[in-house]
Amino acid sequence: MRVCRAAGEEVAAGAEEAEAACPIQLLPQDALHNVLGRLPLHQALACRPVSRLFLDALSSPPFLSSLPSLRLLALRHPRAASAPHPSLHAFDPDLRRWLRLPLSFLPFPSASPVTASPSLLYLWVDTAAPFPPAADAAAKSQTKSLVVCNPLSGSYRLLPPLGSAWSRHGTVIAGPGGSVVIVTELAALSYAPSPDRWLKFPLSLPSKPRSPIMMSGSVFALCDVGAPWRSQWKLFYCSLADLGRAHGWAPIERHEWGDVFDIFKRPRLLAGAGGRQLLMIGGLRSSFVLDAPCSTVLILRLDLDTMEWDEAGRMPLEMYRCFGGGFSSPLEVVAAAAAGANNKVKVFGGDGKVWFSGKRVRGKLAMWEEGAGKSDGGLWSWVDGIPGYPEGMYRGFLFDAGFTSTP
Amino acid sequence: MGKTIKLISGDGEMFEVEEAVAFQSNIIKSLADEDNADDCIPLPRVDSQILSKVLEFCRKHANSPSVHTKFAAIPSELCPKHDGSAAGASSSESSSAHSETCRACYDAVMKLVQWDLEFVKVDLDLIHHLLKAANYLDIEDLMFMAVEGAANAIRGNNPEEIRKLFDLENDFTPEEEKEILKEYSWLDDPFEP
C-alpha cells in the first residue's frame, strides 16, 4: 500500500525523478489545506475517501476548526432524537435541502433538541438512573440535564442536573463560550463552564419575559407593562455578568421611538445579522382598535449602535393568507372567527434569517432572509418537505454545524 | 518600455520583462534590489513553459489592484478612467472616495477576476506547477487564483473523479473506504421525507 506524504520544497526541487509521483503529493501540506479550505464544509468532508493524503489533511483538528460551518435551521421535536435512529432534522437554506444529523453517539434513551449556541447543540436528556426502575414514575422523571454536543465530532458533555420543571417551563438560550441561561416567569438560571454550576437569580422584570434571546453577551426580552385588556410592550436587556445584580435589567427605549411597539400584535425578538441588530417580528395591526385583525407580518430592525428602527421586511400578502390572515373585509374577519380560525404563527431563527410556521400551513415553512442591501425588504420563500411531524406548529433554532467549537 | 529585468528559466531561456511585471513576485523584487549589476536573475526551479504562463499572469496584473484589495482602497492612479495621467484625476477627490463609487474601477476589477478564473481553468497538472511557482516566487495573487483553480476542480466531483484529476491511487482497503464513507454520509445523502 503506497503511503502518500506531502514533501517539502527542497526535496521536490532536488529529486527530478520524484516527478513520477503524483504532483499533488509534492506540494507543501499548506497548499492542500488552502485548496480544501476553499470548499464548503460538506464538500471538503466528501473528499475524505479520496486517499490517505486527503484523509490526513482533513483530519487535522486545527484545520477542521478553520473551515466555515454549515448554517442550518434545526427543528425542535421531542421525539425525533429518540430511538431507533436518534437524529436532528435540519434545513440547509443555501442548498435548500433537509438533512438528518445522526445523534446516536449520545448514550441517552431520549433526547430533545432545544437550542444551539450557535455552533454547539443543546438537548434535554433524562439522567435519572434506569435501575432499579422507579416505583413512582413521577420520581423517575424529576431530574433532567442539558447535554451540549457537537454532532459532527461526536463529542458531548453533560451539564449539572436540574429539576424537570425547568425543562417544562423554561426557555433555554445559549451563547458562545458555553454560557447558558434558562428563563422562566420569575427567575433565571445561569451556567458557565468555569464554575460549572447553575446559579439562580430572581428576575427583576415588571412581568413575565417574552421571547428572551442572547446576543453579544446580553439577554434581551420583551415585557408587557400594560393592562390585562391592552398589551404594552417594552424592551429590556441585561448583560450576562449583571444577571445577579438587583438592577441588572434595564429598559431600552428612546423618546423618538414613539409607539413603535404598539403596531405589533404578539411581537417576538430575534437576533439580527452581525450581532448588533435586533429584529422584532409580529402581526402588524391593521388599526388600533382592540382585536383588529393583522394585515400581515412585519419585521422591524433595531440598530443597537444608532438606536434607530427601520423596516426590514413585510410578509407578502399571498403568503400571509396561507397562514390564515390577510382578511380583506370585516365579513371575512367575522367568518374566520366563527370558524374558530387559528392564525397563530410561530417564529424562530436568528442572525438575519427568520422562519415562520403555522397550524394552517402543513408541511412547509415560510422563510425570510435579510438582503444584501439593507433597504431591499429581504427575500421571502417557502421551504417544503419538512420531515413529517403530525403537528403543524414546528419550532426550531439556528445551528451552525461544523468543527469550530467543542463542548 | 520602462526599466526591464532579465529572468533566466531553469532550462536556460531568457525572458525580458518590465519591472512592474516582474515585481509582482516578491522574491524577484528582493533579488533585484540586491544591486545585481547585469539585472539578470536566474530562476532554476521554474522551467520556461511555466515561467511564460506566470509572466502572462503578471503582465495582466501589472497595473491592477491586488485581488485582496478592498474596493474602497483602490488608489485613483489605477483607475482605467483616469488612464494614469495626473491631469485626469479630480483633485478634489481623495483616493478612497474615488474608488468606492467609481464604476470604472469596479468593472475593471470584476473583468480581471473573470480573466483570472479562465486562466486557472486548466488541467490540474498545470495548476500544480503554477501553485509551486507561485509559492516559490511568492506571487500572492497567482497563489490565490491557483488555489481557487484547484478548488474549482474538486467542487462537485466524487472521490473517484477527484482521484483521476489529481492522479492519485485509492490507497484504502475496501473496508476502510466503507467506514470512511459511512461517517459523514448524511451530508451527501439529503433526507427525503
Side-chain angles (χ1 to χ4, degrees):
Chain A
M1 213 183 301
R2 198 168 66 161
V3 177
C4 297
R5 249 186 251 289
E9 266 283 12
E10 316 82 81
V11 178
E16 283 312 305
E17 64 273 19
E19 289 299 308
C22 44
I24 192 84
Q25 297 163 262
L26 301 172
L27 283 172
Q29 179 73 330
D30 260 8
L32 186 56
H33 274 161
N34 272 337
V35 172
L36 293 170
R38 292 293 173 84
L39 302 171
L41 188 65
H42 61 283
Q43 281 187 16
L45 291 175
C47 288
R48 292 162 80 251
V50 169
S51 75
R52 277 185 209 279
L53 175 71
F54 276 65
L55 182 68
D56 288 344
L58 286 162
S59 305
S60 134
F63 171 67
L64 283 175
S65 63
S66 72
L67 292 174
S69 315
L70 260 186
R71 167 60 54 81
L72 300 174
L73 162 69
L75 287 184
R76 288 177 61 171
H77 188 275
R79 287 179 302 281
S82 311
H85 300 294
S87 35
L88 180 77
H89 291 130
F91 180 69
D92 176 349
D94 286 331
L95 292 180
R96 298 197 75 96
R97 55 177 189 161
W98 284 93
L99 298 172
R100 185 165 38 182
L101 284 76
L103 293 176
S104 42
F105 63 95
L106 290 174
F108 307 106
S110 73
S112 177
V114 65
T115 192
S117 70
S119 50
L120 289 173
L121 183 65
Y122 287 83
L123 306 98
W124 281 116
V125 294
D126 236 314
T127 45
F131 297 108
D136 175 5
K140 183 177 170 195
S141 61
Q142 247 160 43
T143 55
K144 283 235 189 246
S145 296
L146 276 175
V147 68
V148 56
C149 70
N150 183 330
L152 268 75
S153 63
S155 48
Y156 70 94
R157 185 167 60 85
L158 260 183
L159 271 62
L162 293 166
S164 59
W166 290 99
S167 72
R168 283 197 301 272
H169 304 300
T171 306
V172 183
I173 47 183
S179 59
V180 184
V181 173
I182 305 183
V183 181
T184 60
E185 181 166 352
L186 296 170
L189 288 179
S190 164
Y191 172 87
S194 98
D196 194 24
R197 282 187 0 234
W198 288 102
L199 300 170
K200 185 170 164 187
F201 305 111
L203 276 183
S204 54
L205 283 169
S207 72
K208 174 178 175 171
R210 178 179 166 84
S211 196
I213 60 163
M214 204 187 300
M215 190 173 76
S216 303
S218 295
V219 182
F220 296 82
L222 289 166
C223 278
D224 187 353
V225 300
W229 57 87
R230 198 204 147 105
S231 292
Q232 197 185 327
W233 297 102
K234 209 160 163 168
L235 184 61
F236 286 84
Y237 89 107
C238 182
S239 79
L240 280 181
D242 291 340
L243 266 179
R245 284 183 46 216
H247 301 289
W249 287 91
I252 304 180
E253 52 194 352
R254 290 288 181 280
H255 181 69
E256 314 79 81
W257 290 357
D259 292 326
V260 67
F261 294 91
D262 287 352
I263 62 178
F264 282 105
K265 202 164 187 185
R266 289 193 297 270
R268 292 93 165 166
L269 290 178
L270 280 179
R276 292 302 299 161
Q277 291 172 326
L278 274 184
L279 295 177
M280 190 150 68
I281 303 139
L284 174 63
R285 305 175 99 113
S286 50
S287 86
F288 286 109
V289 169
L290 205 59
D291 276 352
C294 295
S295 50
T296 186
V297 173
L298 176 70
I299 305 177
L300 285 191
R301 175 175 45 216
L302 174 65
D303 185 321
L304 288 173
D305 295 321
T306 64
M307 283 298 169
E308 281 171 0
W309 290 94
D310 76 309
E311 180 172 321
R314 200 179 269 242
M315 191 183 273
L317 206 50
E318 326 75 74
M319 229 179 205
Y320 189 57
R321 282 197 215 282
C322 296
F323 284 92
F327 304 118
S328 53
S329 73
L331 192 69
E332 283 182 12
V333 177
V334 172
N342 178 358
N343 54 346
K344 268 198 182 152
V345 175
K346 286 239 177 270
V347 181
F348 42 91
D351 199 25
K353 280 194 171 32
V354 186
W355 286 274
F356 302 84
S357 73
K359 235 184 170 60
R360 289 165 134 235
V361 182
R362 288 184 170 269
K364 57 184 185 180
L365 300 168
M367 176 161 86
W368 177 84
E369 297 167 278
E370 187 155 359
K374 283 299 167 152
S375 50
D376 66 6
L379 207 65
W380 291 92
S381 61
W382 285 110
V383 171
D384 290 309
I386 303 181
Y389 301 132
E391 317 92 73
M393 293 290 274
Y394 315 103
R395 289 182 301 164
F397 53 91
L398 211 66
F399 174 44
D400 283 343
F403 294 89
T404 53
S405 309
T406 38
Chain B
M1 233 192 183
K3 187 149 187 279
T4 61
I5 285 260
K6 295 191 186 73
L7 305 167
I8 316 276
S9 71
D11 47 352
E13 204 175 309
M14 196 210 27
F15 294 81
E16 185 165 1
V17 291
E18 287 186 30
E19 271 188 357
V21 173
F23 285 3
Q24 302 265 311
S25 154
N26 289 327
I27 297 293
I28 294 178
K29 187 153 187 270
S30 62
L31 285 174
D33 280 347
E34 277 169 21
D35 211 20
N36 200 327
D38 52 4
D39 289 320
C40 213
I41 298 180
L43 302 171
R45 293 191 194 172
V46 192
D47 75 20
S48 52
Q49 187 207 11
I50 302 303
L51 187 54
S52 100
K53 272 301 253 188
V54 170
L55 292 174
E56 186 191 339
F57 183 91
C58 294
R59 223 165 270 126
K60 192 76 181 179
H61 281 250
N63 290 305
S64 294
S66 152
V67 122
H68 297 287
T69 314
K70 293 203 185 307
F71 288 126
I74 299 177
S76 49
E77 310 85 76
L78 294 181
C79 173
K81 238 183 11 206
H82 295 178
D83 206 40
S85 61
S90 163
S91 52
S92 57
E93 289 175 26
S94 69
S95 319
S96 55
H98 159 80
S99 14
E100 259 193 272
T101 55
C102 178
R103 188 72 213 195
C105 273
Y106 179 83
D107 286 344
V109 173
M110 293 315 287
K111 232 170 115 181
L112 185 64
V113 169
Q114 289 308 315
W115 184 91
D116 282 351
L117 289 171
E118 278 304 313
F119 183 80
V120 294
K121 243 196 213 159
V122 289
D123 62 80
L124 272 177
D125 202 50
L126 180 54
I127 291 195
H128 147 255
H129 285 297
L130 289 174
L131 270 172
K132 266 177 69 176
N135 190 35
Y136 167 59
L137 293 170
D138 191 12
I139 306 173
E140 208 181 318
D141 280 3
L142 180 60
M143 189 68 186
F144 186 86
M145 290 316 296
V147 168
E148 188 62 29
N152 272 337
I154 296 183
R155 271 184 245 266
N157 281 318
N158 64 39
E160 186 50 45
E161 286 162 343
I162 297 173
R163 279 183 213 119
K164 279 210 196 79
L165 283 169
F166 285 90
D167 193 25
L168 282 167
E169 252 185 39
N170 180 355
D171 49 1
F172 293 120
T173 66
E175 297 78 36
E176 284 173 329
E177 192 176 350
K178 216 165 130 201
E179 271 309 302
I180 297 170
L181 280 170
K182 231 176 53 175
E183 209 176 330
Y184 291 107
S185 61
W186 55 269
L187 271 171
D188 279 329
D189 185 18
F191 172 60
E192 298 299 335

